[in-house]
Amino acid sequence: MTEKSHAALEKWTWVLIYVGLFVMALGIATGRTNPVLGWSMAVLGGVVALVGFVLIYVRSRLH
């Protein structure tokens, strides 16, 4: 794996984690006024953050 692609993988890992956690927090806050939208946002944010955490595992297995 080249240095450029390794740096891109690392960047996307942290972008997905932070954006996912932010959307999840927004979903929890929105859930007080609109439960369906809030839970949808929270679940979507959780899935995005989970993809970021999986990328940490993938990155650890690369040489």
Side-chain angles (χ1 to χ4, degrees), residues 7 21-22 35-36 46 48 61:
L21 292 176
F22 180 71
V36 174
V48 170
R61 295 294 172 199

Side-chain angles (χ1 to χ4, degrees), residues 35-57:
V36 174
L37 178 62
W39 277 106
S40 299
M41 289 175 63
V43 169
L44 178 65
V47 169
V48 170
L50 182 65
V51 169
F53 288 122
V54 168
L55 284 179
I56 288 176
Y57 175 76

Side-chain angles (χ1 to χ4, degrees), residues 8-21 24 42-60:
L9 178 66
E10 185 170 345
K11 179 187 84 166
W12 278 107
T13 298
W14 294 108
V15 166
L16 288 173
I17 290 172
Y18 284 125
V19 168
L21 292 176
M24 189 166 39
V43 169
L44 178 65
V47 169
V48 170
L50 182 65
V51 169
F53 288 122
V54 168
L55 284 179
I56 288 176
Y57 175 76
V58 169
R59 191 182 67 186
S60 73

